Amino acid sequence: MQMISTVAEMLALAQRWTTGESVGLVPTMGYLHAGHLSLARAARQECAQVVVSIFVNPTQFGPREDLSRYPRDLPRDLGLLEQAGVDYVFTPTADDVYPPGFACYVDPSGPVVERLEGASRPGHFRGVATVVAKLFQLARPHSAYFGQKDAQQVAVIRRLIADLHFVLTLRVLPTVREPDGLAMSSRNAYLSPDERQAATILYKALREARRLIERGEQNTDILRAALARVIASEPRAHLDYADVCDPHSMLPLARIEPEKSALLALAARVGPVRLIDNFLRHPNGVWNGD
Ligand code: AMP
């Protein structure tokens, strides 16, 4: 496994990719868990060269968010990536990615970034789209791997690829969960044992909404209310949003239509941590997310 610690080195490496050799990119912010590693392993299976980036991207954090105390453990991350058979780990500094005079952001607009995470975290997706566009330019991957856990991020990246004509395959992998259902997240490290217990309420709420849909419930107001009711049953959890929307446009759905996909999306605060989770229902009634 080779370390690539500067933008210049990454550019030079990518110039040497030979035609026909597939390159997979897995963007991360580090403090890796089994969710990240599932992306790295999928890339390993599908690509000749695998690049994992570890970069805590300052532009996607709001002024009151946790940039400075975002968890980091590079030595541990490198051990896990070595075991997963990754070829290159790209760890640029913020000054290298955003040098003095930096001026050109990728700024998505419209419903895909206005609602849900976009409403709660103004500017977040501008930071995400900007850094992901940069990583695509730098690593020149044929496939890029993202987790369904961040469903709105997936919708934004899908638009980024289409709108800026990136020629690459977007691979979206299922959410990896703890045995009790909590979606794995680097931020789970901030939870106290009590809060960690309470955090399973997001999964329970999503299971309940799924159960209602499987029993034939199509009214999305009833489903949103059911999600909110389960979250409210846990005194340590504070709902930010509970929604049923189209997973591509992120616009709210009025009804569950059997032949259309639907995203159940939740965000709630538990103690100091803001948690997100979702279930995705495909048109054929197959679920992704549990
Ligand atoms: P992050 O380090 O939080 O920026 O996440 C890096 C990538 O890992 C993103 O594509 C996330 O969606 C994905 N990811 C994070 N948590 C999970 C999880 N529990 N299961 C699957 N993918 C995940």
Side-chain angles (χ1 to χ4, degrees), residues 57 59-60 123-133 153 156-157 160:
N57 174 36
T59 61
Q60 72 189 66
H124 172 67
F125 288 118
R126 179 189 198 235
V128 168
T130 300
V131 80
V132 171
Q153 172 168 281
V156 171
I157 305 290
L160 174 75

Side-chain angles (χ1 to χ4, degrees), residues 27-29 33 35-36 39 70 146-147 149-150 153 174-176 184:
T28 83
M29 299 204 298
H33 52 64
H36 298 114
L39 305 183
Y70 194 83
F146 291 87
K149 157 89 177 3
D150 297 281
Q153 172 168 281
T175 302
V176 177
M184 290 197 179

Side-chain angles (χ1 to χ4, degrees), residues 77-208:
D77 289 351
L78 296 180
L80 292 168
L81 294 176
E82 179 97 60
Q83 273 173 35
V86 166
D87 300 296
Y88 301 97
V89 185
F90 179 39
T91 58
T93 63
D95 286 346
D96 201 7
V97 175
Y98 299 104
F102 176 81
C104 296
Y105 288 87
V106 178
D107 198 2
S109 58
V112 76
V113 292
E114 279 164 2
R115 306 184 63 247
L116 310 182
E117 289 303 287
S120 297
R121 307 181 67 188
H124 172 67
F125 288 118
R126 179 189 198 235
V128 168
T130 300
V131 80
V132 171
K134 280 170 163 281
L135 291 169
F136 287 172
Q137 293 289 4
L138 290 169
R140 304 220 161 258
H142 303 92
S143 302
Y145 294 77
F146 291 87
Q148 179 57 38
K149 157 89 177 3
D150 297 281
Q152 193 169 9
Q153 172 168 281
V154 166
V156 171
I157 305 290
R158 193 181 284 122
R159 286 263 41 114
L160 174 75
I161 292 169
D163 294 350
L164 297 189
H165 314 293
F166 284 107
V167 182
L168 58 85
T169 303
L170 172 62
R171 296 279 290 113
V172 181
L173 294 216
T175 302
V176 177
R177 298 180 179 281
E178 301 285 358
D180 63 5
L182 176 66
M184 290 197 179
S185 163
S186 307
R187 291 190 170 95
N188 294 349
Y190 302 142
L191 295 166
S192 71
D194 255 19
E195 291 160 353
R196 167 66 188 77
Q197 180 87 31
T200 58
I201 201 67
L202 280 83
Y203 178 69
K204 290 179 186 139
L206 292 165
R207 295 281 302 188
E208 172 61 7

Side-chain angles (χ1 to χ4, degrees), residues 6 13 24 35 37 51 100-101 103 122-123 174 182 200 205 224 242 247 262 271:
T6 68
L13 175 68
L37 296 176
V51 182
L182 176 66
T200 58
R224 288 184 193 96

Side-chain angles (χ1 to χ4, degrees), residues 13 17 21-25 43-44 46-51 87-88:
L13 175 68
W17 301 140
E21 184 181 54
S22 63
V23 176
L25 171 69
R44 178 69 292 159
E46 297 171 5
C47 304
Q49 305 287 350
V50 177
V51 182
D87 300 296
Y88 301 97

Side-chain angles (χ1 to χ4, degrees), residues 148 174 210 213-214 247 256-264 278-290:
Q148 179 57 38
R210 172 181 169 168
I213 293 172
E214 287 176 340
I256 301 288
E257 312 270 4
E259 70 286 359
K260 288 194 185 149
S261 52
L263 182 74
L264 311 179
N278 68 84
F279 279 9
L280 175 61
R281 183 189 175 280
H282 294 287
N284 48 10
V286 171
W287 287 83
N288 184 330
D290 63 336

